[in-house]
Amino acid sequence: MPSPAKLTQGSTFKHVVIMSMTGAFGLMCMFIVDLVDMLFLSMLGEKEAVAAVGFSSAIMFFTISLSIAVSISATALVSKAVGEGDIELAKRRAVNVLAFGIVFSSVVVWLLWPKIPHILLFVGATGLTLDLATGYLQILILGMPAVMIGMIGSGIMRALGDARRAMYATLIGGLINAVLDPIFIFGFGLGVQGAAIASLIARFSMVAVSYYGVVYVHKMLAEFDLMDFFKDVKCISVIAVPAMLTNMSSPLANAIVMEHTSSFGDDAVAAVAIIGRVIPVVFAGVFALSGAVGPILGQNYGAGRFDRMHRAMSSAVIYAFGYCVVLCLVLYNMQDWLVAVFSATQESADLIHFFATFVSFSFFFQSLLFIAIAAFNNLGKPLNSTLLNFGRATLGTLPLITIFALFMGAEGILFGQAVGSVIFGCLGFYMARNYITELEEKEARNLTPSQYHNYDEML
């Protein structure tokens, strides 16, 4: 049986650090493998291979974002039920979110697979780069249902406060991928397709790990009942659909950036692809914030502990600031090594230097947006997350990168993104803090959370 709602007790800062760092470690392992993919492929001496993975990343991030969105629904619903002390409801919601994710991801694969070449053409891939990217994606996307199951399983365990086991799925998947990469890329001479096959096998390994944690350790899956599933589809969708839209905005922003970058040539695209691989590794602790803060807010929301919710928000900001200061300094001192290890051309090297020197600290402001998104997703206002992230992806990306690129060239694309992160990060955090205050005022008027935010009645 799962332990009590332990996130409603103890230091909120400690919970934020533990939840974030374990989540970051799992993400880091997964993204380090992507970085190693890029490194191995760069050893082939074909910049088209590196660019192909760069173009593919925008599409893969889209599919992973959908999986994360459904896992957000699992975390929000399960953590709230655990906070209220209703374990049976938590189990029912867990199994129904899992069923929802499997069906949904299978449909996405069926719809997306034949359209991959057209999508890559749209984002700017051509010639040999297009052929390599198509082969890479058509293999890798078949693993989306496995990623979905792994993400949902991790989300359920995070909702219980079991950050360590939630980390295992991505950690073990990343290790398997790292072992298989050189075997398929060099040993079998499959190049880009070999990297895709290794990643596909690793993603299916995530299923076994997450299933073990949820079913055998926590015993958190109720027996599936079709009628209960149809009852829960509404409350799952109320959170998952806006979260999908929220997460789809990031691939949209990445696609916009990649399309603009392609006008500066393959060297610029390769640089952005390398930066795109470095960012999740260096800033994994920031990307993990949303998944860390969400369960803490969810459990305390269910328990009516608004004082702890305010402290959790403040703790998250302190953690994010300290993390970004340290890691930005590390990145600044590693920039020459990155240029050398990826055998970057002069144009690619200039962009990498510019990012490490002037742009990287904007991720602190992006962390404020992640915290706000976690708050809205777990406290009954997922549409606010959608509006904020789409605002950043459109108003905070397209006009800014267009304007700055006119004066700064390819560097202006990176700088424009940073400015958008500052604007929408500050706005989102301000809105989230005010929203929690509104919830607290409603509680003071003797309304329980379930009365004014019942997920079953929001549609």
Side-chain angles (χ1 to χ4, degrees):
M1 292 293 292
S3 58
K6 63 181 183 181
L7 300 179
T8 62
Q9 305 167 14
S11 166
T12 57
F13 183 76
K14 180 180 178 181
H15 287 318
V16 168
V17 172
I18 291 174
M19 296 285 284
S20 296
M21 293 310 295
T22 50
F25 192 66
L27 284 174
M28 195 178 299
C29 287
M30 184 171 65
F31 288 123
I32 281 177
V33 172
D34 286 340
L35 193 61
V36 170
D37 277 352
M38 190 75 75
L39 176 61
F40 284 147
L41 293 173
S42 68
M43 292 178 181
L44 296 175
E46 300 175 359
K47 67 179 181 180
E48 292 88 357
V50 178
V53 177
F55 281 114
S56 302
S57 296
I59 315 303
M60 282 311 304
F61 192 68
F62 165 77
T63 62
I64 291 174
S65 294
L66 295 179
S67 300
I68 292 173
V70 181
S71 76
I72 287 170
S73 182
T75 300
L77 293 172
V78 173
S79 66
K80 184 171 181 288
V82 170
E84 293 171 342
D86 194 342
I87 301 302
E88 292 306 314
L89 177 62
K91 290 182 178 182
R92 192 186 93 186
R93 293 281 167 78
V95 73
N96 288 334
V97 174
L98 187 60
F100 179 93
I102 292 171
V103 172
F104 177 77
S105 59
S106 299
V107 171
V108 171
V109 172
W110 180 69
L111 292 173
L112 198 59
W113 195 89
K115 297 180 176 61
I116 285 174
H118 306 290
I119 296 171
L120 289 168
L121 272 172
F122 175 75
V123 297
T126 57
L128 178 58
T129 300
L130 173 61
D131 294 336
L132 292 173
T134 298
Y136 180 84
L137 267 180
Q138 286 185 332
I139 294 171
L140 199 54
I141 200 169
L142 297 176
M144 184 182 174
V147 173
M148 181 72 76
I149 295 171
M151 291 288 187
I152 292 172
S154 294
I156 292 169
M157 287 185 281
R158 281 196 303 270
L160 300 170
D162 190 352
R164 179 171 55 90
R165 286 192 179 89
M167 169 186 71
Y168 286 162
T170 49
L171 173 60
I172 293 176
L175 291 174
I176 291 174
N177 201 338
V179 171
L180 294 180
D181 258 341
I183 295 173
F184 282 96
I185 294 174
F186 300 113
F188 295 149
L190 296 176
V192 173
Q193 290 188 343
I197 294 170
S199 297
L200 181 64
I201 295 172
R203 291 179 183 200
F204 278 99
S205 73
M206 293 172 60
V207 175
V209 178
S210 61
Y211 185 83
Y212 176 81
V214 172
V215 175
Y216 289 99
V217 176
H218 290 288
K219 298 178 172 59
M220 272 301 295
L221 289 187
E223 184 178 345
F224 180 75
D225 183 277
L226 188 60
M227 295 308 297
D228 283 342
F229 174 74
F230 287 130
K231 289 178 185 177
D232 285 345
V233 164
K234 180 183 292 187
C235 64
I236 294 169
S237 300
V238 161
I239 302 171
V241 173
M244 287 176 194
L245 295 174
T246 301
N247 287 343
M248 281 197 302
S249 63
S250 294
L252 172 63
N254 291 341
I256 291 171
V257 168
M258 191 62 73
E259 193 275 333
H260 274 65
T261 305
S262 65
S263 64
F264 292 94
D266 277 349
D267 288 337
V269 171
V272 171
I274 292 169
I275 291 169
R277 284 300 192 274
V278 170
I279 285 172
V281 175
V282 175
F283 295 105
V286 169
F287 285 100
L289 256 181
S290 184
V293 175
I296 299 171
L297 293 175
Q299 283 196 14
N300 285 284
Y301 179 45
R305 293 293 308 273
F306 292 96
D307 57 323
R308 290 182 59 79
M309 292 164 66
H310 284 294
R311 289 205 299 272
M313 295 286 283
S314 299
S315 296
V317 174
I318 294 170
Y319 161 82
F321 183 80
Y323 183 95
C324 287
V325 167
V326 172
L327 270 296
C328 286
L329 289 174
V330 171
L331 181 61
Y332 177 80
N333 287 298
M334 287 179 59
Q335 55 184 297
D336 290 332
W337 178 81
L338 288 173
V339 168
V341 79
F342 285 105
S343 303
T345 63
Q346 185 59 50
E347 185 178 347
S348 296
D350 290 341
L351 286 175
I352 294 170
H353 286 308
F354 182 78
F355 173 81
T357 304
F358 300 107
V359 175
S360 60
F361 195 72
S362 66
F363 275 85
F364 167 68
F365 297 94
Q366 194 159 331
S367 73
L368 298 182
L369 183 60
F370 292 154
I371 295 168
I373 287 170
F376 287 125
N377 282 339
N378 286 270
L379 303 178
K381 285 283 188 178
L383 283 175
N384 282 17
S385 298
T386 304
L387 293 174
L388 282 169
N389 233 23
F390 262 99
R392 183 186 67 85
T394 53
L395 296 176
T397 300
L398 182 57
L400 292 174
I401 66 174
T402 301
I403 292 170
F404 284 108
L406 290 175
F407 300 99
M408 301 172 64
E411 293 176 348
I413 294 175
L414 300 177
F415 191 75
Q417 275 190 297
V419 173
S421 294
V422 172
I423 294 170
F424 281 89
C426 293
L427 175 63
F429 188 77
Y430 173 78
M431 291 171 59
R433 288 302 292 258
N434 282 351
Y435 178 60
I436 294 176
T437 300
E438 290 175 12
L439 295 181
E440 188 175 14
E441 291 172 353
K442 290 180 180 180
E443 173 73 7
R445 293 196 295 268
N446 298 319
L447 292 174
T448 65
S450 61
Q451 286 177 301
Y452 55 79
H453 274 296
N454 188 325
Y455 286 115
D456 292 322
E457 298 173 1
M458 287 178 64
L459 286 182

